[in-house]
Every structure is written in structure tokens, then in C-alpha cells.
Amino acid sequence: MARPRVRLVVTADDFGYCPRRDEGIVEAFLAGAVTSVSLLVNGAATESAAELARRHSIPTGLHANLSEGRPVGPARRGASSLIGPEGFFLGKMGFREAVAAGDVALPQVREELEAQLNCFRELLGRAPTHVDGHQHVHVLPGVCQVFAEALQAYGVRFTRLPLERGVGCCTWLEAPARAFACAVERDARAAVGPFSRHGLRWTDAFVGLSTCGRHMSAHRVSGALARVLEGTLAGHTLTAELMAHPGYPSVPPTGGCGEGPDAFSCSWERLHELRVLTAPTLRARLAQDGVQLCALDDLDSKRPGEDVPCEATLEPFLEPSLP
């Protein structure tokens, strides 16, 4: 059966988290396995990562961070709904719980996002190619509206919509990981409105929640793409993003965003992703499936009307996942 043609952006998250992580990301980029990176401007290795991005001409976006480490904006100077008593962000789940409880002041979110956008411009001398969210904070209720407003004001056009169709059916994910992935998917669906109203664009499809860390393999990446593109007419060209976290494991105390590296960063799972991404097996599988790797800049260079990623092209994929 003929498949749709796919232009795939492979984005390595957490650039700037630590030098060993960055070494692996650059290795994957130079091998042609990664096509863009997302930079943490509050990471321990932010400045050296920015230098690597300039040296190797790596398409670089901002990995907006509201959940891990220290802020870069006004919240650094005193009390803020974004930080705890020690002066750090509230954490992956702590920030979500605070947002759900109405305890996060959205004007302070806007201030921190603007500070990170300004920091990125100072580091790279230009605007980011895209902005996504560390731990997917950018699609949380309320936050997504402020996020979209900030990106529109700064002239950023591309973001990530972490809506992976069918992720609830991925039985290989441990129960907490699957629950988190389903929550991210629900938030992403609700973020479509604010994102589109403020002129943001994203790829037609997204994968990565089901292929993170130990769960990544050539077979699962290929299967995830097939799942999210199911029902698409053959001969139609679509765009997709694969979220990835390659790199060499962090060695404490080096790394992190002010609190040291987390367990995932220190684990073998980052190296596993690096090896899967750079192995000939995945390249061959993608080529067999009609997948062409590209950068977001390549998508933006399309002429109007040429399958430009937007809200309209997303509609076929907005079907509910199984619980």
C-alpha cells in the first residue's frame, strides 16, 4: 500500500543542559540524524551550546523552561509564583499542580518567557527558529495563551504541538509515563485554539512521547509515524516532528539548570537515543517509508499553498486516543 510522503524534523531537546549532552547532540546533527535543536537558556552549558550552534550552523530554537532550575527573568530577584522557597522553579509536576490550582500568576509567566526570548537573542544574535516547552509546559491551560501572545509579539512563527495520536494505546509505556503522555496530548488539543489565533504554526503530526529514552527503536519510530499519519491519502506530502533527547550521560555535579542534572540525564537512556538515531537501521527504515529529513527552515521556505503546516492540516489527526 502506498504511503504519504513525509518531511520529518528531528529536534534534539535540552541543548545547553550539560557539555556531554551537547557533545552527543552535535554528533547526531553532524551525522544528519538530528535537524534542529532546542536551547535551554538557563542550562549549565548554555553559552558553550550557543557557540556550538554558531560554529556548526545548527538550526536552533528556544526550549522555554518554566519548571526546572532557576529563572532568568524578574523572578530571580524575589518572591514569585513561579518559584519555591529555594529560588528554583516548582518542578515538572509541581508547576502543573500550581497551574491547575490557579496559584501561578500568568503575567509572571509572560515576564519569564520574554526574559528567555531576550536571553536567546543575546546568545545567538537572532530570534529562535522555533519555541517549544521544556516538559511541555507551553501547552498547559492558561500558559498556552500567554505563550502564544509572547511568540507573536516576538515574531516567532513555529512551535511544537505535542499531540501524538494514539499514544494512549502504547502499552510498552509504564503507567505513569503513559498517563503523563495522555495528559500532554489533552493539553495540546486545547492549545490549538490559542496557538492558531495568534498565528503560530506547527508540523502536521508529532511523535516522541511514545519513543522517549529506552522506548526508542527504529521499529517504534516508524510505527509511531505510521500511526499518526493513518488515513492520509497516498501521494500527499505531510510534515512531522520527532522529539528526541540524545546525548552522552551527564556526570554530576556538572549539568542541569541550577540544581544539577536529573536522573534521566545521567542514565543510559540518552546514549540509547543517540545510538538509535545515528544507526543505519533507522535511516534505512525512514527512507523505505518515504520519509525525508529536513529542518524547520526548509518547511518555512515553502511557497503559500504547498502543504504549509497549520491548524487546518491538523484536523484529520484530532481524533481521541484510546484511554
Side-chain angles (χ1 to χ4, degrees):
M1 180 179 176
R3 298 171 180 262
R5 295 186 299 273
V6 180
R7 304 183 75 190
L8 179 66
V9 177
V10 183
T11 306
D13 287 359
D14 306 334
F15 198 48
Y17 194 87
C18 82
R20 286 176 55 80
R21 171 81 57 77
D22 297 343
E23 179 185 352
I25 290 175
V26 171
E27 182 179 315
F29 174 77
L30 295 177
V34 159
T35 62
S36 66
V37 300
S38 292
L39 177 70
L40 286 163
V41 295
N42 71 334
T46 297
E47 292 186 3
S48 59
E51 172 57 29
L52 288 169
R54 289 191 297 268
R55 183 189 314 165
H56 298 290
S57 300
I58 304 174
T60 305
L62 171 65
H63 206 40
N65 186 1
L66 300 171
S67 57
E68 182 180 358
R70 294 189 184 279
V72 301
R76 286 186 69 96
R77 298 192 293 269
S80 169
S81 65
L82 303 182
I83 61 175
E86 303 301 320
F88 297 111
F89 285 132
L90 302 174
K92 178 180 177 178
M93 301 311 297
F95 181 70
R96 283 172 160 73
E97 292 165 0
V99 169
D103 293 336
V104 170
L106 293 178
Q108 294 176 343
V109 170
R110 176 69 180 260
E111 289 177 345
E112 179 62 25
L113 288 172
E114 290 178 344
Q116 293 189 21
L117 284 160
N118 288 332
C119 185
F120 183 98
R121 187 180 290 276
E122 292 172 4
L123 286 164
L124 275 297
R126 58 164 178 79
T129 58
H130 63 278
V131 181
D132 53 40
H134 184 50
Q135 299 169 337
H136 310 293
V137 295
H138 68 303
V139 295
L140 289 171
V143 175
C144 63
Q145 175 69 29
V146 174
F147 176 84
E149 292 171 359
L151 266 59
Q152 183 180 47
Y154 276 73
V156 178
R157 304 176 67 195
F158 275 101
T159 188
R160 168 187 294 164
L161 191 75
L163 196 166
E164 183 172 346
R165 183 185 182 191
V167 72
C169 302
C170 299
T171 55
W172 58 85
L173 294 175
E174 297 83 356
R178 193 173 357 160
F180 179 75
C182 289
V184 169
E185 183 194 22
R186 288 193 298 270
D187 290 337
R189 289 174 187 274
V192 168
F195 284 5
S196 59
R197 284 194 296 272
H198 290 277
L200 298 184
R201 302 166 65 193
W202 53 87
T203 54
D204 298 315
F206 167 85
V207 295
L209 293 170
S210 67
T211 60
C212 185
R214 72 187 68 190
H215 302 300
M216 181 177 280
S217 68
H219 173 74
R220 283 191 176 143
V221 170
S222 175
L225 286 170
R227 184 177 67 247
V228 301
L229 298 173
E230 183 180 356
T232 305
L233 294 176
H236 188 58
T237 300
L238 291 175
T239 60
E241 180 185 14
L242 169 61
M243 174 186 69
H245 304 85
Y248 293 99
S250 301
V251 178
T254 303
C257 300
E259 301 173 276
D262 62 18
F264 185 32
S265 181
C266 297
S267 76
W268 58 270
E269 296 187 61
R270 301 287 187 172
L271 180 57
H272 173 73
E273 286 201 29
L274 175 61
R275 288 173 173 167
V276 171
L277 289 169
T278 55
T281 305
L282 179 58
R283 308 276 192 89
R285 188 66 177 263
L286 293 176
Q288 180 183 342
D289 293 344
V291 177
Q292 174 191 357
L293 269 59
C294 66
L296 278 172
D297 287 348
D298 298 328
L299 303 183
D300 205 29
S301 66
K302 287 185 175 182
R303 294 187 300 274
E306 291 188 18
D307 300 324
V308 175
C310 63
E311 178 189 5
T313 59
L314 180 71
E315 283 302 318
F317 311 111
L318 289 181
E319 299 176 6
S321 299
L322 295 176

